[in-house]
Amino acid sequence: MILAVICLAQLTVVLDNTVLNVAIPTLSRDLDATTADIQWVINAYSLVQAGLLLAAGSASDRYGRKRLLLAGLALFGVGSLAAGLSQSSGQLIAARAGMGVGGALLLTTTLAVAIQIFDAEERPKAIGIWAAVNALGFAAGPPIGGLMLAHFWWGAIFLINIPVVVLALVAVRALVPESRNAGGHRPDLPGALLSTVGMAAVVYAIISGPEHGWSSGRVLLTAAVGVLVLGAFALWERRVPYPMLDMQFFRDRRFVGAVAGVVLITFGSGGTLYLLTQQLQFVRGYAPLEAGLRIAPFALTVVALNSVGVSARLMRRLGLPLSIVVGMALLAAGFIVAALPSADGYGVLLLGLVLMGAGCALANPAIVEAVMGAIPPEKAGAGAGVDGTMSELGTSLGVAVLGAVMNARFTALLPAAVAGAGSLPAALAAAGTDAERGAVMDAFTSGIETSQLAGAAAVLVGGCVAALLLRRAERPGADAGTKAE
């Protein structure tokens, strides 16, 4: 019952990362929003969320995970109500930022509560179901958004959260026990401020890089500020008596290996799924709802394998390092199959999606288990904050970097008549003949295929690196060597 409640809260938060993707044309028309306004409507949520995850995880350990879970649900519900009733793009951006605050609390407390509730034997399956809900929410966002827009006005996308939040508030208050770090000390406010500012600046630079150019002053300055502030955060955490994030965790090879795996698996999967939606809409000509439904087998495979316990059994049999390698190899194979040109319609893509889902179903819970297993249970909130922060960072990097690879390949292959076009619609509009339009589509298809292969390579390398570090950490004497080091 408790797992069902926290998964319901988690699903609502994750859905709002992608549910707006299909509403962009409607928002532009109804709110008279500019392109910059739309970007901020989408990014305000993830930007605030990414900046607050570390602080939210530490606060849940200190003040109580149930208490902050309730606070996160309340903030998310109020933000959803404000977003659904917004009359301008400015109001919607502010409401989305408020939802990001609640989302940061929910993402960390749901995982922390699961770690507290389930023992070592049940935990892998519980984490597997929690990870499956993440995948389901990510993939279900576009079709749910398209379905709502087909029958209601755009505000219903947000107002549908209200009854879910009310139900979750009642269930959490009745079912979830309170837990906190009994040895908690006074709050590390400077650490919370430094981590929030640093992460927000880094994620903002990554998000704005494709739009403004990676060499622009705005991007470089913001990235430099973010790196410097995060460096100051690391120095502060090493010197303060009661740190928000214990930097000694990064001396643990198991922890470092798991964190590397989190970044690279979300880099590859987030970027590749972003490209896949463009492939389905621009290359194959599907409407947003149709594209979302055709991606659904990815999430359904993850849910099926985790809900029946297949992933948990394989993790126990293979061990964490081998589970990560096998899972990320399957994920990379799925990316490669999805990138291959196919003349038989949906069949090859479906195979790629199933492989991707099987890989995520095995690798994601193993990586989360490795991250949380390297951190004392009383600091589960801090561990969930690290996991969530690295996931947000990896996803943002994947979309930005693989998107840049796609654009570079696309522009390099454009015919001379449309050279300099900055997007597929602009290049098609500038093409004067059918042959030129065909060349433009071939260039775009090649750009997507190249970037998907780059994502597959990143995932495979990430699996090998994470597994190697975890394997070394499991060797006899590794703990003693780490402490001596």
Side-chain angles (χ1 to χ4, degrees):
M1 292 288 288
I2 295 172
L3 182 61
V5 171
I6 62 177
C7 283
L8 179 66
Q10 180 78 1
L11 178 63
T12 308
V13 176
V14 179
L15 272 174
D16 269 84
N17 278 312
T18 57
V19 73
L20 267 187
N21 290 348
V22 297
I24 291 173
T26 305
L27 292 174
S28 300
R29 181 182 65 251
D30 291 356
L31 294 180
D32 195 23
T34 65
T35 301
D37 291 336
I38 293 298
Q39 289 172 339
W40 273 110
V41 167
I42 293 174
N43 294 333
Y45 180 72
S46 58
L47 189 62
V48 171
Q49 193 177 93
L52 290 175
L53 280 168
L54 284 175
S58 176
S60 71
D61 289 334
R62 189 179 305 275
Y63 299 112
R65 300 174 185 101
K66 176 180 178 177
R67 179 181 297 177
L68 284 229
L69 179 55
L70 291 169
L73 284 166
L75 286 172
F76 193 81
V78 171
S80 297
L81 179 62
L85 301 179
S86 295
Q87 300 297 312
S88 68
S89 56
Q91 293 176 6
L92 183 54
I93 291 168
R96 290 278 288 171
M99 292 172 67
V101 177
L105 289 171
L106 292 177
L107 283 175
T108 51
T109 51
T110 52
L111 181 56
V113 167
I115 296 300
Q116 297 297 317
I117 293 296
F118 295 98
D119 58 25
E121 183 178 350
E122 295 178 316
R123 191 175 301 140
K125 186 173 181 179
I127 289 178
I129 294 173
W130 181 88
V133 168
N134 276 335
L136 178 63
F138 186 86
I144 288 178
L147 188 64
M148 296 297 294
L149 289 173
H151 296 89
F152 306 100
W153 97 110
W154 62 264
I157 291 176
F158 301 105
L159 296 183
I160 196 175
N161 293 333
I162 305 300
V164 178
V165 165
V166 172
L167 175 63
L169 280 169
V170 173
V172 167
R173 188 167 185 83
L175 297 174
V176 176
E178 183 61 281
S179 63
R180 60 169 56 88
N181 182 3
H185 302 280
R186 57 189 176 87
D188 178 16
L189 296 180
L193 178 63
L194 290 171
S195 70
T196 301
V197 172
M199 279 305 306
V202 168
V203 173
Y204 174 78
I206 294 169
I207 291 173
S208 59
E211 177 191 0
H212 300 290
W214 294 104
S215 59
S216 69
R218 176 188 298 189
V219 173
L220 292 177
L221 179 60
T222 308
V225 168
V227 170
L228 288 174
V229 172
L230 287 177
F233 168 71
L235 292 174
W236 172 261
E237 295 300 286
R238 292 182 64 181
R239 286 166 172 74
V240 70
Y242 310 116
M244 186 183 81
L245 176 63
D246 190 349
M247 302 308 291
Q248 296 298 318
F249 292 155
F250 291 94
R251 291 182 176 270
D252 188 328
R253 290 172 181 163
R254 175 175 172 150
F255 181 79
V256 172
V259 166
V262 170
V263 172
L264 287 167
I265 193 173
T266 52
F267 174 93
S269 56
T272 301
L273 287 172
Y274 163 76
L275 295 168
L276 189 58
T277 58
Q278 297 196 49
Q279 181 194 60
L280 290 171
Q281 293 183 70
F282 289 123
V283 178
R284 303 197 180 202
Y286 294 125
L289 178 56
E290 294 175 322
L293 291 174
R294 280 167 173 78
I295 296 176
F298 162 73
L300 294 176
T301 303
V302 178
V303 173
L305 293 179
N306 278 317
S307 60
V308 300
V310 171
S311 298
R313 289 194 293 271
L314 284 174
M315 282 170 54
R316 283 194 294 267
R317 180 171 299 180
L318 299 176
L320 291 182
L322 191 54
S323 296
I324 291 173
V325 167
V326 172
M328 294 177 87
L330 285 171
L331 186 59
F335 292 160
I336 293 171
V337 171
L340 294 175
S342 172
D344 70 344
Y346 185 60
V348 172
L349 177 59
L350 177 60
L351 174 61
L353 290 168
V354 171
L355 286 172
M356 290 160 59
C360 272
L362 184 57
N364 269 349
I367 289 175
V368 174
E369 175 72 18
V371 171
M372 302 306 292
I375 290 179
E378 65 271 15
K379 296 183 179 179
V386 172
D387 179 76
T389 300
M390 294 300 103
S391 296
E392 288 283 347
L393 183 61
T395 301
S396 300
L397 275 172
V399 172
V401 173
L402 296 185
V405 171
M406 180 197 71
N407 287 329
R409 179 69 173 168
F410 170 60
T411 54
L413 295 178
L414 282 175
V418 296
S423 66
L424 177 63
L428 290 173
T433 66
D434 289 341
E436 288 177 353
R437 281 187 284 272
V440 168
M441 289 304 304
D442 289 342
F444 187 77
T445 302
S446 178
I448 286 183
E449 291 171 359
T450 301
S451 52
Q452 284 177 318
L453 293 175
V459 167
L460 192 56
V461 169
C464 293
V465 170
L468 178 63
L469 291 172
L470 289 171
R471 180 66 72 186
R472 291 179 62 187
E474 290 179 353
R475 289 175 182 168
D479 290 341
T482 301
K483 291 175 182 177
E485 185 180 333

